[in-house]
Amino acid sequence: QVQLVESGGGLVQAGGSLRLSCAASGRAFSSYHMAWFRQAPGKEREFVAAISWSGSNTAYADSVKGRFAISRDNAKNTVYLQMNSLKPEDTAVYYCAARNTFTSTSYDNWGQGTQVTVSS
């Protein structure tokens, strides 16, 4: 198990940028695939981006491709989400999630979320 704490959310104007961070505590961070999800008011939680344990593979939702970038620093037990060209429809609570590469087939470790609000 890992404990996840997100930070970096806030209020930004459309077209602006934010970088979210997710700090993990616990053992063997490099054994976990990591991902970001988001949930807007009245909507279901949706996938945003994912990165493999080594950082060599990434995946993105179509809605954020070319604007967001996920990365990780295993030495710092941290995963990042760089968000550029933000749009009002990116407004949501953003959650960090982890999946153990050896024992899990789904993301079963979640942070508390950080609010991102994009004004038009």
Side-chain angles (χ1 to χ4, degrees), residues 4-64:
L4 305 173
V5 178
E6 302 96 333
S7 62
L11 174 64
V12 64
Q13 289 188 331
S17 298
L18 281 175
R19 188 175 83 154
L20 305 183
S21 298
C22 173
S25 60
R27 303 175 64 179
F29 175 70
S30 60
S31 296
Y32 288 81
H33 296 312
M34 302 296 296
W36 289 94
F37 290 76
R38 67 186 181 186
Q39 186 167 20
K43 295 187 177 181
E44 294 187 354
R45 188 175 297 186
E46 65 174 3
F47 169 79
V48 175
I51 188 165
S52 61
W53 67 271
S54 65
S56 59
N57 293 297
T58 58
Y60 297 92
D62 287 344
S63 59
V64 306

Side-chain angles (χ1 to χ4, degrees), residues 16 24 34-36 38 44 55 73 79 93 98 101 106:
M34 302 296 296
W36 289 94
R38 67 186 181 186
E44 294 187 354
D73 185 338
V79 63
V93 177
T101 60
S106 63

Side-chain angles (χ1 to χ4, degrees), residues 61-76:
D62 287 344
S63 59
V64 306
K65 278 181 182 176
R67 300 188 299 122
F68 290 12
I70 189 171
S71 61
R72 66 189 295 161
D73 185 338
N74 285 346
K76 295 182 178 179

Side-chain angles (χ1 to χ4, degrees), residues 79-100:
V79 63
Y80 305 97
L81 184 68
Q82 178 67 44
M83 306 186 295
N84 299 325
S85 302
L86 282 161
K87 305 174 181 180
E89 51 263 44
D90 294 318
T91 295
V93 177
Y94 283 71
Y95 297 90
C96 177
R99 175 173 76 83
N100 189 290

Side-chain angles (χ1 to χ4, degrees), residues 98-115:
R99 175 173 76 83
N100 189 290
T101 60
F102 301 105
T103 62
S104 299
T105 57
S106 63
Y107 290 96
D108 51 9
N109 295 270
W110 294 86
Q112 82 291 347
T114 186
Q115 176 70 47

